[in-house]
Amino acid sequence: MRPAKIATYSSLARKVTTQVTMTAALALSVLMAAVPNPAVAQDASAAKDKPAWLDPALLAKAKAEGSVTVYSSTNEGEGLPLFKMFEDATGIKVNYVRAADGPLMGRVAVEYRANQNTFDVMQTTTVNKMPSQFLAQIDPPEAKNIIPAARDPERRWYGIYANYNTPAYNSKLVKASDLPKTYEDFLKHSEWKGKVAIDNSDNEWLAGMLQFYGEEKGTKLIKDLVKTLQPVVTSGHLAMAQQVGAGEYAIALNNYTMLTMNVKLRGNPTEFWAMDPVILFFGQVGVSSRAPHPNAARLVANFMLSKQSEAFLTKFGRIPTRTDTPSNPPTVGETMAKHKVITVLLKPSEEKKWQQRFDSLFKPR
């Protein structure tokens, strides 16, 4: 009888052991389910934090290219931290080459003729003046969020910030109550003679003025302004904005509103005011038709049109082209909406004609 009894006890032990093991396994599985998987949590966090402009498929192709070269006229104080954001999000190295619009245009022309495929992205206010064969046709997804005027119908460039043209003044030297309400009102202020400045390259502004006033009336008005105010012809819009902010000039007959705001945001006593017409063109981005890193270039273009990029640039006074991104302060964009805005995008041959016209009217003294 003893063996049978031992067998019974063995079966019972195995049964109990099995139940205990199953219960422990179940408890362990419940516990494991309750504890987050670090890898899964990391993937979920990465997906949640991924910028909206970052296309995973394009990113994979861009990372395989290794780097991207950007030619830009944006100053280093804005451009370097902007592209650091791109590098951090993508892991792609940006070779940032900064110069003024004119030298960059000349450099690109020389490189194209020499068949040197050096740059990937061009970011200046003159991309629309480049020959069409220099630029690839691109369709950045973020472009759907910018105003229609900032989209090239041929899809070779897109506006990343709005370059409005308005007068500016030093608020310590000029009272807001004395500001002209029209350009004709400037003719009542002969006391400002020699205290007014204008940049030597404002051919777009001149073209827009004559479009608004008409050829005959506009030409007479400009001549009268020159005679009454005797404006100093300067070189460099940012330098002029700084000079007005410092009180070297009381007024800029015309300047880029974003640069006036840039100087104001740094604590200087300067302000813009708007009168009809407000001339508009854009800081633009385009991709080289011979880009050594075409996928990375397209990713950069999409990034520069993103809300992240345009919102960052508003810290420096630049005015966004996106409809979902307010200016800094929002009253800048609201002010422009109240005025007659004329978009002027000159081709190289047109620019040459208008620059000659400008030089003949604003003869340096």
Side-chain angles (χ1 to χ4, degrees), residues 56-352:
L58 186 57
L59 174 61
K61 295 176 182 177
K63 292 188 78 167
E65 295 171 348
S67 65
V68 62
T69 298
V70 177
Y71 284 4
S72 174
S73 60
T74 299
N75 65 75
E76 292 89 342
E78 300 173 47
L80 291 176
L82 176 67
F83 289 111
K84 179 65 164 55
M85 291 163 53
F86 176 85
E87 290 181 338
D88 290 345
T90 64
I92 298 171
K93 171 66 177 174
V94 176
N95 301 310
Y96 182 72
V97 180
R98 195 267 171 182
D101 288 353
L104 284 177
M105 292 284 281
R107 178 171 179 167
V108 166
V110 170
E111 290 176 352
Y112 191 89
R113 287 195 298 269
N115 200 27
Q116 295 177 352
N117 305 328
T118 306
F119 81 100
D120 296 294
V121 176
M122 185 76 158
Q123 188 273 297
T124 69
T125 59
T126 54
V127 179
N128 67 290
K129 298 173 185 176
M130 296 173 66
S132 59
Q133 65 267 26
F134 284 28
L135 299 168
Q137 291 182 306
I138 60 173
D139 296 289
E142 291 295 324
K144 67 180 182 294
N145 298 305
I146 65 176
I147 60 176
R151 303 177 209 156
D152 174 31
E154 295 184 3
R155 307 176 1 256
R156 298 187 189 276
W157 61 263
Y158 296 86
I160 58 176
Y161 57 82
N163 214 359
Y164 292 101
N165 287 237
T166 59
Y169 68 102
N170 182 294
S171 56
K172 287 188 175 181
L173 300 178
V174 178
K175 296 179 181 179
S177 57
D178 291 337
L179 295 175
K181 292 181 172 56
T182 67
Y183 279 99
E184 289 90 341
D185 286 346
F186 268 110
L187 303 178
K188 304 173 184 177
H189 292 279
S190 58
E191 75 275 12
W192 290 341
K193 182 182 297 185
K195 301 177 183 179
V196 176
I198 190 168
D199 187 82
N200 61 8
S201 64
D202 275 341
N203 48 70
E204 285 100 346
W205 172 80
L206 179 62
M209 287 284 287
L210 267 61
Q211 180 179 333
F212 178 78
Y213 282 101
E215 177 71 24
E216 184 176 347
K217 183 179 178 180
T219 301
K220 183 179 186 306
L221 174 60
I222 297 297
K223 288 181 177 179
D224 289 343
L225 289 172
V226 172
K227 182 179 179 180
T228 302
L229 302 174
Q230 294 185 10
V232 178
V233 180
T234 66
S235 179
H237 288 90
L238 178 57
M240 183 171 63
Q242 293 168 337
Q243 289 165 330
V244 172
E248 186 173 341
Y249 302 111
I251 289 176
L253 184 59
N254 177 66
N255 204 356
Y256 303 159
T257 307
M258 62 179 184
L259 296 181
T260 301
M261 293 306 301
N262 179 287
V263 173
K264 179 184 177 181
L265 290 171
R266 283 187 261 160
N268 294 280
T270 189
E271 184 61 270
F272 79 94
W273 84 100
M275 302 183 295
D276 293 343
V278 174
I279 312 307
L280 171 64
F281 55 98
F282 303 98
Q284 308 144 20
V285 62
V287 170
S288 170
S289 58
R290 298 177 176 177
H293 312 99
N295 294 297
R298 283 165 171 77
L299 196 60
V300 167
N302 200 44
F303 162 70
M304 297 195 77
L305 294 168
S306 71
K307 186 171 185 177
Q308 181 184 11
S309 171
E310 293 205 14
F312 173 80
L313 290 174
T314 64
K315 297 178 182 179
F316 304 92
R318 297 195 185 271
I319 304 169
T321 57
R322 291 180 64 99
T323 57
D324 60 359
T325 306
S327 59
N328 178 27
T331 51
V332 177
E334 294 167 2
T335 297
M336 300 309 172
K338 298 176 182 178
H339 289 274
K340 174 64 176 178
V341 177
I342 297 177
T343 301
V344 177
L345 298 166
L346 301 177
K347 295 298 183 183
S349 59
E350 297 172 323
E351 182 182 35
K352 183 178 180 180

